[in-house]
């Protein structure tokens, strides 16, 4: 009866022993073969150093006990080491696991963002190949145009992408009999022409001025016509709809720039008006203080005469008349400070600066209206203004507004209504003033223009030319 354990077979070199076969080769492990009547001589023939006692032998049991003891010792050592470093409780392990999970999510998000950037970069590269670049558009900060600009630029980019329809060309062109090569050449020429067209369009947008819109549109039309003429052989041209989108972009930009210019001009005009009002108030306040001081001096003098019982003399009468005049003057200044319609209407001209047949009609609330004329005759004009009319009115603002209305068709600046220049002669203005005021005490139709006329008589030195 064979009682050999699994994988133990008679040793090929000595059948008196069993040898272990690991499935690939014989090992050095040997035990006596219980099926053989092994003699003491046979057992003595096997070197004792080569015998490895296994299975049921006392030495085998001892070795198993030793291995188990070693395993228990190693387990205790590992537990002691874990305890020596503080140990990690379940909550701490969960926290670390949560941190690792959050880091994984962050890295996955970053990876997705980088992939999106790669796609976006590729798209930008394609657009740059056809001449569409990201730059600070004049409408970028315009709230009213922001959404419309975004939609328009989206349409432009969609058509400008490869085979998007920005360029129309023949699809049957062949190169060396190959339609594929022909389409490749058409695509390359299309990209080249579209790049030139977009570069010109972007340059027009960036350098656009409101008053140059028509010339900019004409220039864009010319580049489109030129591309169509150069690509006539291949039936290549800029798509009409794409061209219309770029024209619309120019129109929107011009509208915004014009509105912006008007707004800035209105702000400058308002600052000038406030500065003029401030000067008027300061002058009126100074003049009223001076009149009040004179009034107090007259009162003191009259009181002295009354104390001396000389209030019936000519000096006392003069002081009373002076006090009445001062009171009227102070009342007038007070009324003028409180009513913005009270002031002086002026009609002036500057032949040397604007030529004949141009007048300026305005209103000032300054106490001395001549100061306003002197301010206008500053270094911004080559010659001083000539005054045709300068008169006080309680409704000066209304007279000025009515004169502007009657001469509106003769305005020099039809855009900015605060520019008070008109193509009219002083005689025409005088007729309107007489109709509005009923009486006009003084009006000078002749412009002296002394400096201008003298400058015409002075010979010019041309030796430096």
């Amino acid at each position: 009866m064979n009682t050999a354990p699994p994988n133990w077979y008679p040793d090929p070199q000595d059948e008196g022993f069993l040898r272990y076969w690991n499935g690939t080769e014989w090992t050095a492990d040997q035990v006596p073969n219980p099926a053989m009547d092994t003699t003491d001589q046979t057992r003595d023939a096997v070197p004792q150093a080569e015998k490895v006692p296994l299975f049921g032998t006392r030495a085998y049991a001892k070795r198993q006990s030793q291995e188990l003891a070693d395993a228990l010792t190693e387990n205790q050592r590992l537990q002691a080491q874990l305890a020596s470093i503080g140990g990690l409780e379940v909550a701490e392990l969960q926290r670390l696991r949560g941190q690792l999970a959050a880091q994984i999510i962050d890295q996955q998000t970053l990876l997705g963002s980088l992939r999106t950037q790669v796609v976006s970069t590729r798209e930008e590269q394609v657009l740059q190949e056809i001449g569409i670049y990201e730059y600070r558009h004049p409408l970028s900060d315009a709230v009213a145009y922001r959404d419309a600009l975004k939609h328009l630029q989206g349409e432009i980019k969609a058509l400008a992408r490869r085979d998007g329809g920005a360029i129309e060309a023949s699809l049957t062109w062949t190169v060396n009999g190959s339609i594929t090569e022909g389409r490749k050449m058409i695509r390359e020429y299309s990209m080249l022409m579209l790049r030139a067209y977009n570069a010109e369009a972007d340059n027009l947008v960036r350098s656009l001025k409101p008053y140059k819109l028509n010339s900019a549109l004409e220039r864009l039309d010319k580049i489109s016509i030129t591309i169509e003429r150069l690509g006539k052989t291949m039936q290549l041209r800029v798509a009409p709809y794409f061209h219309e989108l770029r024209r619309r972009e120019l129109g929107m930009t011009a509208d915004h720039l014009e509105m912006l210019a008007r707004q800035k001009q209105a702000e400058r005009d308002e600052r000038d008006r406030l500065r003029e009002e401030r000067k008027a108030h300061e002058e009126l306040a100074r003049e009223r203080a001076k009149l009040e001081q004179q009034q107090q001096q007259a009162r003191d003098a009259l009181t002295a005469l009354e104390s001396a019982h000389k209030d019936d003399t000519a000096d006392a009468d003069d002081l009373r008349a002076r006090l009445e005049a001062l009171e009227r003057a102070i009342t007038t200044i007070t009324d003028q400070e409180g009513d913005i319609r009270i002031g002086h209407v002026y009609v002036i001209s500057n032949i040397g600066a604007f030529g004949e047949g141009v007048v300026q009609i305005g209103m000032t609330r300054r106490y001395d209206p001549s100061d306003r004329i002197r301010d206008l005759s500053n270094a911004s004009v080559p010659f001083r203004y000539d005054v045709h009319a300068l008169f006080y009115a309680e409704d000066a603002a209304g007279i000025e507004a009515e004169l502007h209305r009657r001469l509106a068709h003769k305005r020099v600046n039809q855009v900015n209504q605060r520019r008070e220049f008109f193509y009219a002669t002083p005689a025409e203005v005088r007729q309107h003033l007489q109709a509005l005021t009923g009486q006009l005490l003084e009006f000078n139709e002749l412009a002296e223009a002394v400096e201008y006329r003298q400058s015409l008589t002075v010979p010019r030195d041309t030796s430096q030319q």
Side-chain angles (χ1 to χ4, degrees):
M1 182 176 180
N2 187 8
T3 60
N7 296 333
W8 289 88
Y9 303 97
D11 191 339
Q13 298 179 357
D14 188 353
E15 293 184 356
F17 293 91
L18 297 178
R19 195 167 184 177
Y20 187 77
W21 175 259
N22 61 10
T24 304
E25 60 182 357
W26 295 102
T27 66
D29 299 326
Q30 285 182 328
V31 295
N33 189 352
M36 300 291 294
D37 185 15
T38 308
T39 62
D40 295 339
Q41 291 81 5
T42 304
R43 286 194 298 270
D44 294 339
V46 180
Q48 294 297 324
E50 296 180 1
K51 297 179 181 180
V52 180
L54 295 173
F55 302 113
T57 64
R58 185 175 297 175
Y60 175 77
K62 183 178 181 181
R63 190 177 71 177
Q64 291 293 323
S65 299
Q66 184 63 37
E67 289 179 355
L68 179 60
D70 293 341
L72 291 175
T73 302
E74 180 65 16
N75 186 23
Q76 292 176 355
R77 186 186 69 78
L78 292 175
Q79 290 180 353
Q81 184 178 2
L82 183 63
S84 65
I85 62 175
L88 292 177
E89 297 180 356
V90 175
E92 182 68 14
L93 290 173
Q94 291 178 348
R95 186 184 65 81
L96 293 176
R97 184 174 62 182
Q99 290 182 351
L100 291 175
Q103 291 180 3
I104 292 173
I105 294 175
D106 291 341
Q107 294 299 321
Q108 289 176 345
T109 303
L110 178 60
L111 179 60
S113 175
L114 293 175
R115 287 174 176 172
T116 303
Q117 292 179 13
V118 169
V119 174
S120 177
T121 302
R122 289 176 179 173
E123 181 178 350
E124 289 180 1
Q125 183 180 3
V126 171
L127 292 175
Q128 289 175 5
E129 288 180 355
I130 54 179
I132 294 183
Y133 297 88
E134 291 292 338
Y135 63 92
R136 185 174 182 80
H137 199 282
L139 298 180
S140 299
D141 298 329
V143 178
Y145 290 88
R146 188 174 298 163
D147 294 338
L149 174 65
K150 184 177 180 180
H151 178 72
L152 181 63
Q153 288 183 333
E155 286 191 83
I156 291 174
K157 289 182 179 180
L159 286 177
R161 291 186 183 93
R162 187 171 300 173
D163 299 331
I167 293 289
E168 296 178 352
S170 173
L171 299 178
T172 59
W173 189 265
T174 60
V175 175
N176 296 328
S178 172
I179 296 180
T180 303
E181 291 296 325
R183 290 180 177 176
K184 179 181 178 182
M185 188 185 73
I186 290 292
R187 184 168 58 252
E188 292 174 351
Y189 270 89
S190 299
M191 292 178 62
L192 180 63
M193 293 299 186
L194 188 57
R195 181 182 180 88
Y197 176 82
N198 285 324
E200 185 69 18
D202 288 342
N203 183 59
L204 290 173
V205 170
R206 285 193 292 262
S207 60
L208 183 63
K209 303 295 181 184
Y211 54 87
K212 291 186 177 180
L213 175 61
N214 292 333
S215 61
L217 292 174
E218 291 177 0
R219 187 170 176 180
L220 189 64
D221 291 341
K222 286 181 180 179
I223 188 67
S224 176
I225 293 173
T226 301
I227 290 175
E228 185 174 2
R229 177 172 55 84
L230 295 176
K232 185 176 181 180
T233 304
M234 295 176 286
Q235 301 177 8
L236 187 148
R237 66 168 184 172
V238 177
Y241 182 67
F242 184 78
H243 181 60
E244 183 59 31
L245 289 177
R246 306 283 344 213
R247 284 175 58 90
R248 194 188 309 169
E249 182 183 13
L250 283 172
M252 290 174 55
T253 305
D255 289 343
H256 169 66
L257 293 177
E258 184 176 357
M259 292 176 57
L260 191 62
R262 289 184 180 181
Q263 181 180 354
K264 290 182 177 179
Q265 184 59 49
E267 292 174 355
R268 286 193 293 268
D269 292 340
E270 182 63 16
R271 287 195 297 268
D272 292 342
R273 187 189 68 80
L274 294 176
R275 183 167 55 250
E276 183 66 16
E277 286 291 324
R278 185 172 60 253
K279 288 182 179 179
H281 281 292
E282 291 173 355
E283 290 182 2
L284 291 172
R286 285 196 302 267
E287 188 63 24
R288 183 176 59 183
K290 184 169 64 176
L291 292 175
E292 289 175 349
Q293 183 180 6
Q294 294 176 4
Q295 185 184 44
Q296 186 61 43
Q297 292 174 354
R299 285 175 179 172
D300 293 341
L302 182 60
T303 302
L305 289 176
E306 291 176 350
S307 299
H309 303 289
K310 297 180 180 180
D311 54 343
D312 57 349
T313 62
D315 292 339
D317 294 338
D318 291 341
L319 287 173
R320 290 189 183 95
R322 180 173 175 77
L323 283 171
E324 292 179 1
L326 290 171
E327 185 66 28
R328 288 194 300 271
I330 292 174
T331 302
T332 300
I333 290 177
T334 303
D335 293 341
Q336 190 170 349
E337 284 181 325
D339 191 349
I340 61 174
R341 303 183 68 82
I342 299 176
H344 291 81
V345 177
Y346 58 83
V347 181
I348 57 179
S349 66
N350 195 324
I351 297 177
F354 309 114
E356 296 185 4
V358 176
V359 295
Q360 183 176 357
I361 304 172
M363 171 226 172
T364 179
R365 299 180 64 241
R366 304 276 284 271
Y367 181 76
D368 184 0
S370 299
D371 291 339
R372 174 60 174 167
I373 308 303
R374 281 190 288 270
D375 288 346
L376 294 174
S377 300
N378 57 17
S380 62
V381 290
F383 304 100
R384 288 195 295 266
Y385 277 88
D386 291 296
V387 180
H388 299 283
L390 187 62
F391 62 95
Y392 176 84
E394 293 185 354
D395 190 17
I399 294 175
E400 178 201 31
E402 181 60 22
L403 283 174
H404 289 180
R405 188 190 66 80
R406 293 189 177 194
L407 299 173
H409 62 288
K410 293 189 176 184
R411 276 189 177 274
V412 175
N413 189 336
Q414 294 290 339
V415 176
N416 188 350
Q417 300 297 314
R418 296 186 63 86
R419 296 302 180 181
E420 304 168 333
F421 295 90
F422 300 87
Y423 291 115
T425 62
E428 293 179 73
V429 180
R430 179 177 58 80
Q431 294 175 359
H432 291 295
L433 279 175
Q434 285 180 338
L436 291 173
T437 62
Q439 57 180 354
L440 194 60
L441 299 179
E442 184 178 357
F443 194 98
N444 184 15
E445 295 187 9
L446 178 63
E448 294 183 359
V450 177
E451 292 181 348
Y452 170 68
R453 300 185 193 281
Q454 289 178 349
S455 298
L456 294 178
T457 62
V458 176
R460 299 185 179 276
D461 185 7
T462 60
S463 62
Q464 301 298 326
Q465 296 183 354

